[in-house]
């Protein structure tokens, strides 16, 4: 079953599917892992290193931690295309990122 995170967002790990405001969000597996990692830890500040651990599996090659920034940008863009007011991924300067469910 889909793990409903908020009335406006659902994450279905069995289908690797995310819906925002009822619309399916087209994500790569890595983007899916990232958003799933965020929504499972609302309000927690996650460092780039921790987010890399969430995004990777045992078979992934080394990825620079600055790649996290690129993936966060992509998620913001994709969710922002559905609704321009999307602001749930907050940058915490010097620390990482935080998921703010109240900002959906």
């Amino acid at each position: 079953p889909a793990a409903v995170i908020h009335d406006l967002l659902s994450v279905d790990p069995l289908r690797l599917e995310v819906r925002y405001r009822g619309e399916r969000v087209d994500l790569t597996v890595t983007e899916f892992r990232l958003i799933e990692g965020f929504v499972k830890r609302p309000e927690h500040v996650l460092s780039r290193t921790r987010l890399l651990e969430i995004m990777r599996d045992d078979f992934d090659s080394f990825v620079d931690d600055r790649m996290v920034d690129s993936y966060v940008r992509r998620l913001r863009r994709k969710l922002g295309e559905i609704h321009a007011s999307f602001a749930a991924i907050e940058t915490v300067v010097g620390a990482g990122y935080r998921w703010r469910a109240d900002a959906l």
Side-chain angles (χ1 to χ4, degrees), residues 1-61:
V4 176
I5 305 306
H6 187 276
D7 291 343
L8 301 175
L9 180 78
S10 67
V11 177
D12 186 338
L14 298 177
R15 293 183 180 177
L16 293 176
E17 183 177 276
V18 172
R19 290 191 173 274
Y20 178 51
R21 295 181 172 262
E23 233 179 282
R24 188 172 182 275
V25 184
D26 187 28
L27 300 176
T28 66
V29 172
T30 303
E31 291 166 342
F32 178 86
R33 288 179 187 156
L34 181 59
I35 199 166
E36 183 182 37
F38 275 130
V39 298
K40 283 183 175 180
R41 299 159 185 86
E43 306 306 324
H44 292 203
V45 176
L46 301 173
S47 69
R48 285 181 183 88
T49 302
R50 180 66 184 117
L51 289 169
L52 270 178
E53 291 169 0
I54 290 167
M55 291 166 34
R56 294 173 37 200
D57 63 29
D58 293 336
F59 302 104
D60 286 339
S61 60

Side-chain angles (χ1 to χ4, degrees), residues 67-93:
M67 286 297 296
V68 171
D69 300 337
S70 296
Y71 281 102
V72 167
R73 250 189 323 276
R74 289 180 199 164
L75 280 179
R76 285 176 171 157
R77 179 182 47 79
K78 288 180 178 186
L79 294 162
E81 286 173 357
I82 293 171
H83 197 271
S85 69
F86 176 81
I89 302 173
E90 177 184 35
T91 301
V92 180
V93 178

